[in-house]
Amino acid sequence: DQQVKQNSPSLSVQEGRISILNCDYTNSMFDYFLWYKKYPAEGPTFLISISSIKDKNEDGRFTVFLNKSAKHLSLHIVPSQPGDSAVYFCAASAAGNKLTFGGGTRVLVKP
Amino acid sequence: DAGITQSPRYKITETGRQVTLMCHQTWSHSYMFWYRQDLGHGLRLIYYSAAADITDKGEVPDGYVVSRSKTENFPLTLESATRSQTSVYFCATTGTGGVWNEQFFGPGTRLTVL
């Protein structure tokens, strides 16, 4: 049973608009959440993270929101750029334990 | 200075054969990890290592063996490959204060078992 789920396998957005990627989790012990970005034929690269003591973390065009009561986090990319076209994985950890990844969301940003 | 490398990048083998995937890092990071990526499952942890000669199982360890005699190398061996082990394999390291936080991934090995 997947503890971290990304229910949208793909997302298409116009350049300059907002991309919103969603991630749900079931394990209430998760206390740290991360987003990774992956281009084809490359390994994932770290994008942004958030601790459970926060509800928002921002880094340039990327913002992650955490709603602990709903066990939900989202990644906002504003404005979206063609170079953002990639697969995005959310991941979670509990008290320094292993990372559990979601299934990924493929984002296509159209020029 | 490549940081973290994996070899081979592509491998085709047959059921029952032994296969070893190599991972090498130049950062002297303590922790190293092996993941497999399958459609719909994201990345699943196979094995990890906290230091040389210290390894532990992850989520999907069956059918795999690891060793770590040197800090910089973390080979993954499929002792008798099965078709279900067809996947893309990623090695990763972390050297940050949070062990399970930001990890640095290699480029991956695409393994096909016929």
Side-chain angles (χ1 to χ4, degrees):
Chain A
D1 189 25
Q2 286 188 307
Q3 297 186 63
V4 179
K5 284 188 178 180
Q6 295 176 254
N7 291 317
S8 297
S10 64
L11 171 69
S12 182
V13 64
Q14 207 66 34
E15 181 178 3
R17 305 294 290 267
I18 185 171
S19 294
I20 300 177
L21 290 75
N22 294 305
C23 181
D24 297 298
Y25 61 95
T26 57
N27 188 344
S28 58
M29 300 302 293
F30 287 147
D31 59 0
Y32 203 83
F33 304 88
L34 306 89
W35 286 93
Y36 281 81
K37 177 179 181 179
K38 184 184 178 307
Y39 291 118
E42 295 183 10
T45 55
F46 170 77
L47 190 58
I48 192 169
S49 63
I50 187 167
S51 165
S52 60
I53 63 174
K54 294 184 175 182
D55 54 17
K56 177 183 175 181
N57 188 27
E58 193 171 354
D59 184 1
R61 297 185 297 113
F62 302 91
T63 302
V64 56
F65 296 92
L66 175 62
N67 183 334
K68 285 190 295 182
S69 61
K71 294 189 178 67
H72 176 84
L73 66 154
S74 62
L75 175 68
H76 292 206
I77 307 173
V78 184
S80 299
Q81 299 174 353
D84 296 330
S85 296
V87 177
Y88 292 78
F89 293 99
C90 68
S93 71
N97 209 328
K98 62 179 182 175
L99 279 180
T100 301
F101 284 84
T105 296
R106 183 179 302 276
V107 173
L108 176 62
V109 180
K110 297 179 180 179
Chain B
D1 186 359
I4 179 169
T5 56
Q6 293 183 235
S7 61
R9 293 295 312 277
Y10 303 91
K11 177 72 177 178
I12 299 174
T13 190
E14 295 178 338
T15 301
R17 297 223 179 211
Q18 183 179 81
V19 177
T20 296
L21 309 183
M22 302 301 296
C23 178
H24 175 78
Q25 55 116 346
T26 60
W27 294 309
S28 297
H29 285 174
S30 296
Y31 281 81
M32 297 187 74
F33 311 85
W34 275 107
Y35 293 90
R36 58 178 289 174
Q37 182 195 2
D38 303 290
L39 193 64
H41 290 278
L43 294 153
R44 291 182 291 176
L45 182 64
I46 304 171
Y47 269 97
Y48 65 98
S49 169
D53 298 321
I54 301 175
T55 62
D56 206 349
K57 296 178 180 179
E59 182 183 356
V60 288
D62 293 343
Y64 303 95
V65 174
V66 294
S67 62
R68 194 166 175 207
S69 58
K70 294 183 178 181
T71 299
E72 61 267 29
N73 297 323
F74 191 37
L76 176 74
T77 297
L78 288 67
E79 293 190 303
S80 179
T82 65
R83 288 182 181 162
S84 65
Q85 292 178 310
T86 292
S87 186
V88 182
Y89 291 85
F90 290 100
C91 179
T93 75
T94 187
T96 61
V99 171
W100 300 102
N101 297 333
E102 181 180 352
Q103 296 181 14
F104 300 90
F105 285 79
T109 294
R110 182 174 293 275
L111 176 67
T112 301
V113 183
L114 301 176

